[in-house]
Amino acid sequence: MIMNKIIILLSILFISGLFCSCEHPGMEYVIQEKGLNVQESTIYVDGFLAKGTPAFAGDENEPGDRLGIPFVNGFGRKLFVKFIDRSSETGLKIEDGEVQLSFQGDKQYAYFPISGTPTQDGSVPISFDIFENGKKIGTTITKTIPIWAEGTQRPPRELIPTSEKPFVLLGGEINWVNQSTPTTGAQNEQIFWYARMSSPSTEIKISGLTYNCVANLRYNSIMIANNAIRPGFTEDNGVKTLILFTPTPENIEQYPEAFTLKDGTLSHVWGENDIFFHGTNSKPISVGMWDENTPDILYGGNRTRPMSSASWTISASTPKSYIEKPGNYKIYIKYTNTDAGNDIIQYFPKHPVTGETGWVPFEFTITENPVSGFIVNPNLTTDTPDVPTFNEDWEPTESDPVKAIRGELIQKSNQQTKILTKGEVLGGNTAMRIWFATYKPEGATTPTGYNFKAHDDNKNNWFRGFYTPDVVKVAGDKSKIGAGTANKKSNEIVHFFEDSKLNEKYFISYVDFNADAGTLLNKAGTFTFIFESLPNSGTAYPKFEKGFTCPINVIVQE
């Protein structure tokens, strides 16, 4: 008999343990040994609070602003939640209330009306205690809630996340972090994304800070999920391809509505060789509301978006994006879940034809490329007739796969030839551009980049790629010309030949040095100087093992 009682007691304890050992993601406050807890990480404002604007009291169309508190392992408990009055600090008051939990262990939300007018913005604290049968259980819980900046407009109700729809996707856009286009003052403000360019300029710098070009998903959320979503892609021999729905001629003809832009016009037609690609790593989802006016977060000299956006850098890896013709485009990118416990994709738009969930439309503009197709022979008549204006033995081979062809000075702001003035220093905002032809093996989609540096040895009269006595002989006493001193890679910008047949055989690319601001030529005319890079001068691999020389053509006016 005693043994039977012991077995029954152990069975009861075992069953009890099953109901009290649930684990839940996020930070939690365990408020009683039976397992009842508050999931602090998903306490949220069911509504929208902004400094100086009274909390919304509700109307016939939507409830008033209220605080949602999630309880886990309720199992029929009847509780009372009492809020600590912090109205003198925050301007807000939250109404105390009873909570009757249902007989389940899943997360259940209870809501408490918010009144008053916020007196500050940012993250403000709220605190509350929980009572059962008049007795306080657990410790005081403190949580911060977001208050938006004064004047921020309340979004439509359908864009405010709730416990029933905890994630709202606002849309996707391609931008420079939070900018739709580069702003005035950017170092290369005219460069965004040009036709027949291997990718958008991947970054711009403003006041010493870097902006990356990204595909950006904007959202409002009360969910937290690590490694939650990523783009869908296929992979063949290590090369990834995003899963897209694009405006091919056939798709535009069959589904014109799917490819109608916001302005009512149709998307430009997607070419056979067009490629769009962005990063494929998984991104987290955080709690927050999107606000386009929120300042970027500065981290290590880079700007990134704060909460409520997921961004992937465009063409940071192979394959490079490439759009052949200028125009306004609309494409759809497929995204997938990567967190088994959170189905974020159920809240994404559907494919306009199949109805499959997870397809996000993007609209973007490709502009005419200001850099014309490359012509090997510039057909220049120079004042240095003994120096060729281009390397005549320029065609690469399998055994000699990359060769420098020629170079020039380029004004960065408009991508046009920079003309110097006799006797005046060059100054800034000028690139020294060197063109490279690279052998194209069958099936190759991008050229290999070879590393090099300018020959720089003041003790022996070499100044940033040029032998100064030769420069002085041509351009007069005290003349000098120089490239930058950084390591460069021959495939920095992949371009195109004007002769389409050459594009079938070779890659053409260019490298832009920052031309030395002290460059000074004391004679007028059209000159060709020889740039030199020593063997194995690069600081990364692969390198130009044999080094190279390259003619640089310069025009100097009176």
Side-chain angles (χ1 to χ4, degrees):
M1 180 66 70
I2 293 175
M3 183 61 69
N4 288 340
K5 288 182 178 180
I6 292 173
I7 291 173
I8 292 171
L9 178 60
L10 289 173
S11 300
I12 292 172
L13 290 173
F14 175 74
I15 294 170
S16 169
L18 289 177
F19 284 98
C20 298
S21 60
C22 301
E23 294 183 358
H24 304 276
M27 186 183 295
E28 298 174 351
Y29 285 89
V30 178
I31 57 178
Q32 202 174 50
E33 291 182 1
K34 294 180 181 179
L36 176 67
N37 62 67
V38 169
Q39 197 174 80
E40 182 270 348
S41 60
T42 52
I43 293 175
Y44 78 105
V45 174
D46 185 20
F48 188 84
L49 300 172
K51 179 182 177 181
T53 301
F56 180 56
D59 57 25
E60 66 276 7
N61 297 317
E62 61 177 292
D65 292 331
R66 54 188 185 171
L67 186 73
I69 298 178
F71 293 88
V72 181
N73 289 342
F75 297 119
R77 308 281 283 277
K78 187 174 182 179
L79 308 172
F80 183 79
V81 177
K82 183 172 181 57
F83 290 88
I84 296 172
D85 186 2
R86 307 185 78 151
S87 57
S88 61
E89 177 185 355
T90 66
L92 296 173
K93 185 172 179 60
I94 306 174
E95 189 176 308
D96 302 336
E98 290 187 346
V99 177
Q100 178 63 64
L101 299 173
S102 62
F103 288 86
Q104 63 182 39
D106 295 338
K107 181 163 61 178
Q108 305 170 56
Y109 271 94
Y111 296 95
F112 304 88
I114 299 174
S115 59
T117 301
T119 56
Q120 55 183 293
D121 56 20
S123 297
V124 303
I126 57 101
S127 301
F128 59 91
D129 294 311
I130 299 175
F131 296 84
E132 186 175 32
N133 297 323
K135 180 182 178 182
K136 179 180 174 180
I137 56 177
T139 59
T140 299
I141 297 172
T142 297
K143 162 75 173 175
T144 59
I145 59 174
I147 307 296
W148 298 100
E150 191 167 11
T152 305
Q153 295 297 310
R154 182 184 183 88
R157 183 66 197 184
E158 62 269 19
L159 300 183
I160 297 176
T162 67
S163 58
E164 290 77 26
K165 188 180 180 181
F167 182 91
V168 179
L169 183 68
L170 302 179
E173 62 183 7
I174 293 170
N175 56 26
W176 296 93
V177 186
N178 70 329
Q179 298 182 82
S180 57
T181 58
T183 62
T184 301
Q187 184 178 8
N188 50 346
E189 62 194 43
Q190 302 298 320
I191 299 178
F192 188 47
W193 195 348
Y194 295 138
R196 302 179 78 177
M197 187 176 185
S198 62
S199 66
S201 183
T202 55
E203 63 182 39
I204 58 174
K205 290 183 181 293
I206 301 176
S207 301
L209 297 171
T210 300
Y211 291 76
N212 290 310
C213 184
V214 298
N216 196 325
L217 297 182
R218 296 166 289 115
Y219 61 81
N220 297 333
S221 171
I222 58 170
M223 298 182 69
I224 291 179
N226 291 320
N227 300 320
I229 55 174
R230 66 163 174 78
F233 62 88
T234 59
E235 190 166 359
D236 183 19
N237 292 324
V239 178
K240 296 176 180 178
T241 303
L242 293 188
I243 300 174
L244 307 175
F245 183 50
T246 57
T248 62
E250 297 80 8
N251 285 340
I252 287 181
E253 181 179 0
Q254 294 182 52
Y255 315 111
E257 291 183 1
F259 295 104
T260 298
L261 304 172
K262 293 173 183 176
D263 64 5
T265 61
L266 277 178
S267 168
H268 199 89
V269 174
W270 198 252
E272 290 184 6
N273 298 319
D274 288 352
I275 299 171
F276 181 90
F277 188 76
H278 68 56
T280 57
N281 54 318
S282 295
K283 297 290 184 177
I285 296 299
S286 57
V287 174
M289 297 281 282
W290 169 263
D291 179 8
E292 64 181 8
N293 298 312
T294 301
D296 302 332
I297 295 173
L298 304 184
Y299 180 76
N302 288 272
R303 285 179 179 256
T304 60
R305 281 305 302 166
M307 305 301 185
S308 293
S309 72
S311 300
W312 290 267
T313 301
I314 296 175
S315 294
S317 58
T318 303
K320 300 291 186 181
S321 295
Y322 177 91
I323 313 296
E324 189 166 10
K325 295 182 178 180
N328 297 314
Y329 290 85
K330 182 177 182 179
I331 66 173
Y332 294 80
I333 303 176
K334 181 180 180 180
Y335 293 87
T336 62
N337 289 308
T338 49
D339 184 334
N342 290 285
D343 181 7
I344 307 294
I345 298 302
Q346 66 177 306
Y347 306 113
F348 275 50
K350 295 181 179 180
H351 190 286
V353 178
T354 67
E356 180 187 22
T357 303
W359 292 81
V360 179
F362 287 83
E363 294 186 17
F364 54 92
T365 298
I366 303 297
T367 54
E368 188 69 56
N369 199 320
V371 183
S372 58
F374 181 73
I375 298 173
V376 173
N377 186 349
N379 289 315
L380 284 175
T381 300
T382 71
D383 297 290
T384 48
D386 295 335
V387 184
T389 58
F390 69 100
N391 280 333
E392 295 181 0
D393 180 26
W394 67 270
E395 295 187 70
T397 63
E398 188 172 5
S399 59
D400 195 2
V402 60
K403 291 186 177 182
I405 303 177
R406 61 177 174 86
E408 65 253 338
L409 293 177
I410 296 293
Q411 191 164 318
K412 292 181 180 180
S413 60
N414 59 16
Q415 297 296 300
Q416 302 303 307
T417 300
K418 173 69 175 180
I419 298 177
L420 281 70
T421 299
K422 182 180 75 172
E424 293 184 7
V425 294
L426 176 63
N429 199 37
T430 301
M432 182 172 290
R433 179 166 294 171
I434 299 177
W435 292 89
F436 295 90
T438 306
Y439 180 73
K440 182 185 284 189
E442 185 176 354
T445 58
T446 187
T448 300
Y450 290 81
N451 293 271
F452 69 97
K453 296 183 70 174
H455 184 183
D456 190 38
D457 182 3
N458 283 330
K459 292 181 180 179
N460 292 297
N461 293 316
W462 280 93
F463 179 68
R464 301 188 174 188
F466 298 87
Y467 188 55
T468 301
D470 286 348
V471 176
V472 169
K473 186 185 302 182
V474 169
D477 189 38
K478 298 182 179 180
S479 293
K480 69 173 183 176
I481 184 172
T485 58
N487 180 79
K488 288 292 182 177
K489 207 170 183 180
S490 62
N491 66 347
E492 185 175 277
I493 300 293
V494 181
H495 201 59
F496 55 92
F497 287 97
E498 187 68 25
D499 183 347
S500 60
K501 292 181 180 179
L502 291 178
N503 290 315
E504 297 174 6
K505 299 171 61 177
Y506 312 114
F507 292 109
I508 184 69
S509 57
Y510 62 84
V511 167
D512 280 351
F513 281 100
N514 287 323
D516 185 77
T519 291
L520 174 69
L521 301 176
N522 286 311
K523 288 184 180 179
T526 300
F527 309 113
T528 301
F529 303 104
I530 299 299
F531 172 92
E532 179 172 283
S533 177
L534 294 176
N536 294 308
S537 63
T539 58
Y541 288 93
K543 301 180 179 183
F544 279 87
E545 295 182 358
K546 299 177 183 179
F548 66 88
T549 59
C550 181
I552 307 294
N553 301 304
V554 180
I555 300 174
V556 184
Q557 65 184 4
E558 287 286 354

